[in-house]
């Protein structure tokens, strides 16, 4: 389970906690299969330039390997809870804005019967 106390040294934790505070919490068995949850592998596109990405949303201590993104990274926390077809606008350092749209949830633990809280 994620705790801000355990990950307080990571940038983006405050933003993540804000996202969690705004979230609608449901039981793991009630999560629709097209919603991004922890350890979901997703495919999304940056609609500003057409670049596609396939990443797995992981806890900070599991990040750093290819094709992973940390939940403590600002864009990681922004993707959490989005569903297929939803978009987010994201400003990167330097002021450039991205428009990230979820194309597919390739693997979601809850859809596979892996329920964790």
């Amino acid at each position: 389970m994620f705790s801000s106390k355990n990950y307080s040294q990571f940038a983006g934790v405050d933003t993540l906690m804000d996202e969690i505070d705004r979230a609608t919490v449901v039981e793991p068995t009630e999560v629709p299969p097209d919603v991004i949850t922890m350890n979901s592998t997703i495919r999304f596109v940056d609609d500003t330039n057409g670049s596609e990405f396939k990443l797995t949303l992981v806890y900070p201590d599991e990040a750093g390997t290819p094709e992973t993104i940390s939940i403590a990274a600002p864009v990681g926390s922004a993707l959490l809870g989005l569903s297929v077809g939803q978009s987010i606008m994201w400003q990167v350092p330097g002021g450039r804005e991205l428009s990230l749209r979820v194309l597919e949830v390739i693997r979601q633990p809850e859809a596979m019967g892996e329920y964790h809280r």
Side-chain angles (χ1 to χ4, degrees):
M1 176 69 188
F2 181 83
S3 164
S4 62
K5 188 180 204 179
N6 296 341
Y7 296 108
S8 60
Q9 75 274 17
F10 292 100
V13 167
D14 291 334
T15 303
L16 172 59
M17 295 311 293
D18 289 343
E19 291 291 325
I20 291 171
D21 288 342
R22 285 193 296 270
T24 300
V25 178
V26 299
E27 290 299 319
T29 55
E30 297 173 0
V31 177
D34 67 341
V35 172
I36 299 170
T37 62
M38 288 307 303
N39 298 307
S40 289
T41 301
I42 59 171
R43 192 168 60 89
F44 60 98
V45 64
D46 175 359
D47 283 327
T48 60
N49 63 21
S51 297
E52 283 195 27
F53 303 90
K54 177 185 161 193
L55 298 170
T56 300
L57 185 62
V58 298
Y59 292 102
D61 57 342
E62 299 167 350
T65 58
E67 297 190 354
T68 63
I69 187 162
S70 171
I71 187 64
V75 73
S77 63
L79 288 167
L80 182 66
L82 292 183
S83 60
V84 173
Q86 286 188 309
S87 298
I88 57 166
M89 295 300 293
W90 195 254
Q91 190 168 7
V92 294
R96 189 169 61 95
E97 225 173 46
L98 309 175
S99 176
L100 305 179
R101 180 170 42 92
V102 180
L103 299 173
E104 177 182 13
V105 176
I106 298 167
R107 178 190 183 282
Q108 183 210 64
E110 293 81 1
M112 301 177 68
E114 299 172 17
Y115 305 116
H116 304 280
R117 278 208 104 182

